[in-house]
Amino acid sequence: MDPWLDSARTFVEQVYRIGSWTGELPPATSLPLGGARAMTRLVMANPALDGAKPDLQLRLFGPTDDPDLQGLRNQSVGYLLAGALALGMTGQDLDGLIPGLVIAAGSIDPKSLLERQRLLGDRPFGPPIPVIPDWLEKLDKFTGRDCFAGVMKAVLDLGKWASSQSKSDAKGISSLSATTLCSGGQLTIYGAGFGRNQPADTKVYVPVAGGGCREATVVSWSDTAILVQLPADVAAGCVGFVRFSGEYHEPQQVTGELTNCIGAVAEQWTRGFGRVGSPIVSCPPCLLRGQNRIQLAGKPSINGFRFTPSHVEPNGQPVLEWNVSDANTLQIVPLPGLPSPPLALPNPIPPVGSITLAPVGGLVPVNGRYRLIATNGCGSTSKDTEFTMSRTPTLSVGNIEVVQSIQKVDNSVRLTAERRTAVRVFVDSGIVDGFDLGAGPNRVGGLRATLYADNVAANTSTSCTGPWVASAEANSMPNRDMLEDSINFDVPLSACQGNVRFRAVVELPGPMGQPPLAWTTGSVDVTFIPKPTQELLPLLITDPSSTSPAPTMTDFFNSLMGPHSAQPFPENGFVINPPILMMLSPVENLKIGIVWTHLIVKVTTMIFLFPSTPVGGIRAGMVPNDSAYPWGGMALPRIGLTTPSFIAQAGDSVVCTHELGHTFGLNHVNCGGPMGPYDGTLPLTITDPGLDVPARMIFPAGTNEAMTYCFPQWPSIEHWDRIFDRIPI
């Protein structure tokens, strides 16, 4: 890593330690000047600090429940706070630079995104989160918000706090009363030239655990000796003086302003800044001969205990590293509850060391958790670390299908404008060795997906509803016949018109506030074709011979749900004329098969003289729903001057689809005995999966064609195309 970036990253980590304080003992409010210089160098290189104005900004302000946007905001807040503190500590012009710093914290250019991730991300060398349009806003809107001004003022206040002038030194110190100490004790600093009384601008600072230094309480002060009460977290390091000059600025409203404007991630970074009550300082230097150095103080300090890397792929070998100060004995033990792999540790364990684990294999994830216990005469200190072994999926969008009833892989089936539409996004997991992340071999669960519909002509983008299942999955070989093998979305009707590009973004989320573990994108272009409406004339037919209730318009609309879902009519694609009521005579008993033939001929050839209401369109007769009837329905297409007509049992949407197909000239497909005539242009079964979009029900390839008498059934592509070309009749 670039040493400047490495130093700045350490600086940011210490800023977070101060800002995230929740315990009783605050962290030391000391930051290294070298880290501040490194952070300043990175910040000043951003074009926004030279006045360059980008067109778009990350939407930092306002509520959001999108964890990925929160992750980017988390990185922006860390960059913003660390940058303000660094600029203040290095004496920069805060009034002139803070506005540019706020803009830089929301920059979306690839260099800025990568730099913030490398500074603040757990996976600093992975790709940044892909920024999607919903996360952006124009610069003038960004800078015009009240939040921009409020955040700028709060960050400026923080920078002025860091710019409060102080210098550290160890002048006059010749020795310490003890170089081995326990927490809470007293220490005498010997030397000369301290002055008879403690100067008002001078404080004694001592090193503390976790890095940095803290003010020690002065018990007595003379020209040659200073007695101090040590803080509870005293550690090894160098003792000295911090001398203050100028005005001290206590930071105000940092937590409240940033939390109100940016959200919970800002509260995590800033809650400590409202309670520190002391200035930021640089710690005293160490004298050449070590006169001011505490060799051992308090409990042992665990400077580092971690796995590098903390995540490995199957058969990877994580390396456990540790670095401990002031310990007499060390133990490294597995934590209970997890089958952690054994460690081949040296005996005794040295204060600084590392071991490489044997290859961690298997087809399921492995978690190893361990605890380091360091002990000396002042007590014990412990720290936990863990690693994970799992397969990182290589996600890819294999195909996107835009479906209204049935579709081919290449999306060549024509689409009706303003009709209920689903988009199926097929995602390949990239796992082929049978590894099980919890959703099954080669599957990846817990995916988060977003779909956008971009209208090419109107240059607009619509976020689609969905997906149908909140936690979607990927598979190594997605099966089109399995609804769960695709991530499925509903498309708003307003987006189903003209030339549309559908864009999918799919990701496997990482830990809260961190980049996704894996992500992929894909797109497909389709065209929605406007279709006219189809006029229908409802005939509600009462059969006195049937004990079933007479059909109603509710039955009629329930029947139309079949054509509405399966055939290429627009969402509001039927014009329904006022119904005509018919009563059959006693001899027209529909329990007799031949009566159905007579009735459909009668319906087809009816002539309306001077009707008072519209009587055009396909004649759609509804008869009682009676299991004693020999037929579910019957239909005739236009023959000569007759009107296309059908009759169907009330409320049966499958029969209605079949009979309406007849009125458009489709004949039967023989699956084993239906009445002729037969249709040689329709297949016996469908070649591609069908989808009932409103019901969210899949019909696998091989399902019976809708013009058969076999069930289940669904329209084929040929069925769809022939009706598509003939609307309206």
Side-chain angles (χ1 to χ4, degrees), residues 14-15 37 117 144 150 156 230 254-255 258 311-312 350 361 367 412 430 443 457 505 528 537 576 606 615 688:
Q14 290 174 290
V15 170
R37 292 192 181 107
Q117 179 172 312
L156 178 62
L230 299 171
V254 176
T255 303
L258 269 70
H311 167 85
V312 294
N367 288 81
S412 59
R443 301 187 72 91
V505 179
F528 291 95
L537 175 61
I576 312 299
M606 290 172 62
V615 292
D688 293 80

Side-chain angles (χ1 to χ4, degrees), residues 58 110 152 163 268 301 351 365 400 534 557 559-560 582 594 635 653-654 707 718-719:
L58 187 69
M152 188 174 69
S163 68
Q268 294 169 7
S301 296
I400 299 176
Q534 176 63 58
F557 287 117
S559 297
L560 277 188
M582 292 180 59
I594 193 63
S653 61
V654 174
M707 299 310 294
E718 293 82 358
H719 181 135

Side-chain angles (χ1 to χ4, degrees), residues 594-657:
I594 193 63
V595 174
W596 284 75
T597 304
H598 295 157
L599 178 59
I600 190 60
V601 171
K602 177 180 177 180
V603 168
T604 303
T605 58
M606 290 172 62
I607 297 175
F608 298 97
L609 297 176
F610 311 112
S612 59
T613 59
V615 292
I618 297 172
R619 296 173 181 176
M622 293 288 116
V623 300
N625 194 311
D626 193 328
S627 60
Y629 288 165
W631 306 110
M634 191 169 287
L636 285 175
R638 174 175 283 120
I639 301 172
L641 298 177
T642 63
T643 303
S645 305
F646 73 87
I647 53 176
Q649 291 199 34
D652 194 324
S653 61
V654 174
V655 169
C656 187
T657 301

Side-chain angles (χ1 to χ4, degrees), residues 400-628:
I400 299 176
E401 295 181 18
V402 185
V403 191
Q404 293 182 329
S405 172
I406 192 168
Q407 187 57 272
K408 293 183 178 180
V409 172
D410 61 0
N411 288 290
S412 59
V413 176
R414 292 169 295 174
L415 302 169
T416 299
E418 297 186 9
R419 174 187 164 83
R420 287 283 294 270
T421 303
V423 174
R424 302 184 70 191
V425 180
F426 293 87
V427 183
D428 193 314
S429 67
I431 302 176
V432 296
D433 61 356
F435 199 93
D436 189 346
L437 289 167
N442 298 332
R443 301 187 72 91
V444 179
L447 298 179
R448 188 164 52 239
T450 310
L451 183 73
Y452 301 92
D454 302 333
N455 189 290
V456 178
N459 195 27
T460 58
S461 183
T462 302
S463 180
C464 296
T465 305
W468 291 355
V469 179
S471 179
E473 294 186 359
N475 194 3
S476 62
M477 297 180 64
N479 184 346
R480 297 176 69 218
D481 287 335
M482 304 288 291
L483 201 56
E484 60 268 27
D485 273 16
S486 58
I487 306 174
N488 310 302
F489 298 85
D490 287 317
V491 182
L493 283 176
S494 60
C496 298
Q497 49 190 330
N499 297 322
V500 177
R501 171 169 295 167
F502 288 100
R503 293 181 295 112
V505 179
V506 184
E507 59 191 30
L508 177 61
M512 177 65 180
Q514 299 302 322
L517 302 178
W519 64 276
T520 185
T521 63
S523 65
V524 68
D525 294 347
V526 298
T527 299
F528 291 95
I529 301 171
K531 301 301 293 182
T533 56
Q534 176 63 58
E535 188 178 10
L536 295 178
L537 175 61
L539 303 172
L540 303 182
I541 303 170
T542 300
D543 180 5
S545 69
S546 175
T547 58
S548 298
T552 65
M553 285 304 292
T554 298
D555 296 325
F556 180 82
F557 287 117
N558 287 340
S559 297
L560 277 188
M561 290 303 297
H564 181 266
S565 301
Q567 293 166 325
F569 301 100
E571 180 71 11
N572 297 311
F574 293 109
V575 174
I576 312 299
N577 290 327
I580 293 177
L581 304 181
M582 292 180 59
M583 174 73 74
L584 298 183
S585 68
V587 298
E588 294 176 302
N589 185 343
L590 290 178
K591 295 184 177 67
I592 302 170
I594 193 63
V595 174
W596 284 75
T597 304
H598 295 157
L599 178 59
I600 190 60
V601 171
K602 177 180 177 180
V603 168
T604 303
T605 58
M606 290 172 62
I607 297 175
F608 298 97
L609 297 176
F610 311 112
S612 59
T613 59
V615 292
I618 297 172
R619 296 173 181 176
M622 293 288 116
V623 300
N625 194 311
D626 193 328
S627 60

Side-chain angles (χ1 to χ4, degrees), residues 129-145:
I129 296 175
V131 177
I132 62 176
D134 276 5
W135 296 350
L136 305 179
E137 63 183 352
K138 291 189 176 298
L139 180 66
D140 55 354
K141 184 175 181 181
F142 180 82
T143 57
R145 289 178 178 269

